[in-house]
Amino acid sequence: MYWNKEAETIDAVSLSEQQAARLKKTVESLYSNIQFYKKQMDLAGVKPADIKTVSDIRKLPFTTREDLRENFPDGLLAIPKKDIVRLHTSSGTTGKPKAIFFSKHDIDAASDLMARSLYMTGLRNTDIFQNMMTYGLFTGALMMHYGAEKIGCMVIPAGPGNTARQISLMQDFETTAIHITPSYGLYLASVLQKQGLDPATDLSLKKAYVGAEPYTEETRKKIESLLKVDAYNCYGLSEMNGPGVAFECERKNGLHLWEDNFLMEILDPVTGEPIPDGEEGELVLTTLNREAMPILRYRTKDITKILPDKCPCGRTHRRIHRIIGRADDMFIVKGVNIYPQQIERVLMSVKGVAENYQINLENLDKMTVKVEIDKNMFDGKVEHIVTLRNEITERLKNEILVKPVVELLEPGTLPVSEGKAVRVIDTRTM
Ligand code: ADP
Ligand code: ZN
């Protein structure tokens, strides 16, 4: 069942024609309205007339996070200010916020993509959608809100945190779907457990939309089994409208990236050269349907790969693998490159591990993985704890090739963040 069958099942030739036309229009607008892009394109020796097909994208300059900051607040606007209807900023996980502007057309297009994404997973107007993301400058909550409303769901704009209230809202209004970060999802499950509530009988939940930060397949499974839901991965970034950039369909086998709205490239993060389908690289995105603030070849720093097979759902937009990591999140210990997701994958697959963990890096590359374990593991039997710690240490060493110190903690010891989780604390000074 499609929200927009024609758009979702478009054949490759028509898609490529549509992309080329939209790219051309975008480049013409950028060149004549934005000083920064005119200068960059002149430097690269490329004119709007040189852009005829999708592959001409390679002639165009990149846009980086730093470019957005240097042009802060409104240097990258392509339309008069009077036609702007909304400002968002990125949540600023990695430095100062960036300002993103939307026209009425842009908000409509973004809401429509959101509705398309949610509908694809089976969300309908009979659903009660409790949105546990931060409302405000961040795109995550508002864009999802608009999409769910567009489908006709009853939306509960709960915002994050205040878990006791979230639970009463879910009970009182029989919430069927939630939008949540993976870290808060796991925390919510632990509070339900503590209150002796079983989601299968005490709640009406069916679906969870989980995104905004990288997480592993093991974490998805854990959320699904603890909350008794189908959890769908949703990916996006403020620079590209917010959460409806790529989304899982009911097959949950990778995320369809909406190629009629975004031109996708997977590039070598260092050289900027294209990477063959199926191999990991940096996702680079160009907006194809945005008026106020079109962006060319944005370096997301998110690492993923294209899943080349066709999806049995019939949608033709190519799928990406769940984000493997952010180029920025990677840290180096004893010369080895490590992503926090590698550690999470191991932890979440070990029986006895609870929801929260933290990685601490200290001088001399001392790496400590602090992890909360299930309450019933603290049953007084020291040997149980020692066995578990040894198992985790050994499995981590196999995965990351470095042997960390593993500390097991009681549930509730580590800080819980309402927004994006902080997983790595690096206090190394040398
Ligand atoms: P910030 O860069 O300040 O965090 P955003 O709030 O726009 O800005 O967050 C976008 C980033 O969040 C993405 O670039 C990506 O790194 C991460 N992200 C969003 N959704 C997902 C997801 N489903 N899986 C992995 N990472 C995600
Ligand atoms: Zn599909």
Side-chain angles (χ1 to χ4, degrees):
M1 289 274 267
Y2 305 105
W3 176 253
N4 179 342
K5 183 162 192 233
E6 196 185 329
E8 289 167 59
T9 60
I10 186 169
D11 65 89
V13 175
S14 312
L15 176 65
S16 158
E17 281 168 12
Q18 185 189 48
Q19 288 179 320
R22 287 182 164 186
L23 179 64
K24 234 173 126 55
K25 194 170 154 206
T26 299
V27 171
E28 277 158 12
S29 164
L30 285 168
Y31 193 79
S32 47
N33 296 309
I34 305 176
Q35 266 305 315
F36 167 79
Y37 278 120
K38 179 172 187 308
K39 206 167 122 209
Q40 295 289 313
M41 284 177 58
D42 287 345
L43 275 175
V46 53
K47 291 272 177 292
D50 300 327
I51 306 304
K52 297 188 186 76
T53 67
V54 171
S55 52
D56 291 326
I57 187 86
R58 305 256 340 260
K59 301 178 180 156
L60 292 165
F62 290 121
T63 308
T64 63
R65 221 175 259 175
E66 290 66 43
D67 295 329
L68 294 198
R69 285 205 192 105
E70 273 162 29
N71 289 282
F72 185 89
D74 53 10
L76 296 177
L77 273 187
I79 60 171
K81 274 202 179 142
K82 71 172 180 36
D83 296 326
I84 306 293
V85 301
R86 177 88 64 81
L87 165 74
H88 276 291
T89 65
S90 140
S91 61
T93 314
T94 49
K96 267 209 272 178
K98 300 143 253 173
I100 316 290
F101 298 89
F102 296 80
S103 67
K104 173 144 193 335
H105 162 91
D106 298 338
I107 294 285
D108 287 347
S111 316
D112 196 65
L113 278 188
M114 242 10 291
R116 187 198 281 185
S117 306
L118 293 167
Y119 197 87
M120 167 165 80
T121 66
L123 196 77
R124 295 295 179 267
N125 61 8
T126 44
D127 279 294
I128 315 292
F129 185 92
Q130 189 164 326
N131 198 354
M132 302 186 183
M133 291 291 199
T134 310
Y135 278 80
L137 284 167
F138 178 48
T139 46
L142 273 167
M143 290 304 184
M144 276 274 186
H145 182 118
Y146 274 48
E149 254 183 27
K150 202 163 178 148
I151 290 178
C153 302
M154 179 173 105
V155 180
I156 307 178
N162 199 341
T163 309
R165 191 189 58 186
Q166 301 281 7
I167 296 171
S168 16
L169 284 169
M170 289 196 282
Q171 291 188 305
D172 293 342
F173 300 103
E174 300 181 347
T175 300
T176 58
I178 57 177
H179 176 207
I180 197 163
T181 59
S183 41
Y184 192 54
L186 290 170
Y187 179 71
L188 173 66
S190 74
V191 176
L192 284 165
Q193 254 172 1
K194 228 178 274 163
Q195 297 193 354
L197 293 171
D198 175 4
T201 47
D202 300 318
L203 300 177
S204 311
L205 277 188
K206 293 195 177 59
K207 299 179 194 316
Y209 299 99
V210 184
E213 58 193 22
Y215 62 108
T216 57
E217 193 57 39
E218 286 71 19
T219 297
R220 181 230 297 273
K221 294 213 177 91
K222 196 150 183 167
I223 290 175
E224 291 191 322
S225 77
L226 291 172
L227 291 178
K228 309 283 187 317
V229 290
D230 277 308
Y232 299 92
N233 192 354
C234 39
Y235 167 80
L237 58 164
S238 310
E239 296 85 325
M240 299 283 133
N241 297 352
V245 174
F247 221 93
E248 281 180 333
C249 66
E250 71 276 12
R251 310 272 170 161
K252 299 193 274 191
N253 57 357
L255 299 88
H256 288 284
L257 191 137
W258 298 125
E259 298 187 82
D260 52 348
N261 279 253
F262 304 98
L263 194 62
M264 131 163 86
E265 298 171 85
I266 303 283
L267 304 179
D268 181 314
V270 179
T271 64
E273 288 302 310
I275 300 255
D277 282 10
E279 288 178 30
E280 285 176 20
E282 178 181 352
L283 180 65
V284 174
L285 295 170
T286 298
T287 62
L288 291 177
N289 188 21
R290 213 158 64 170
E291 245 176 24
M293 195 172 162
I295 297 182
L296 276 189
R297 306 190 83 195
Y298 188 65
R299 305 288 301 250
T300 67
K301 307 252 183 169
D302 291 325
I303 308 292
T304 181
K305 58 185 173 189
I306 290 180
L307 303 172
D309 316 335
K310 282 205 175 95
C311 183
C313 77
R315 291 177 184 84
T316 46
H317 300 249
R318 285 176 299 168
R319 285 165 302 134
I320 55 169
H321 186 277
R322 66 170 57 249
I323 302 297
I324 296 158
R326 277 195 190 214
D328 297 336
D329 280 351
M330 196 198 73
F331 55 89
I332 302 179
V333 174
K334 301 186 176 138
V336 181
N337 296 353
I338 302 172
Y339 285 107
Q341 286 70 44
Q342 290 176 277
I343 293 173
E344 179 178 314
R345 191 156 62 223
V346 169
L347 295 178
M348 292 303 149
S349 64
V350 175
K351 204 167 166 286
V353 165
E355 288 75 27
N356 210 348
Y357 70 95
Q358 195 181 70
I359 303 158
N360 286 255
L361 304 172
E362 293 162 83
N363 279 344
L364 300 171
D365 279 358
K366 175 167 182 233
M367 177 177 177
T368 309
V369 175
K370 298 185 176 178
V371 55
E372 291 182 7
I373 58 174
D374 286 342
K375 223 182 24 243
N376 52 16
M377 292 299 296
F378 285 99
D379 58 1
K381 294 222 174 68
V382 178
E383 61 271 25
H384 284 176
I385 308 262
V386 173
T387 314
L388 182 65
R389 195 177 56 209
N390 290 347
E391 182 193 345
I392 295 175
T393 310
E394 212 35 50
R395 287 181 56 181
L396 282 174
K397 186 171 156 255
N398 289 339
E399 169 73 33
I400 59 178
L401 310 175
V402 171
K403 189 168 172 182
V405 176
V406 172
E407 260 179 44
L408 303 184
L409 304 168
E410 274 188 68
T413 320
L414 293 169
V416 184
S417 74
E418 288 188 356
K420 302 196 184 206
V422 180
R423 296 301 193 191
V424 184
I425 305 214
D426 191 346
T427 56
R428 290 178 293 185
T429 51
M430 41 189 195

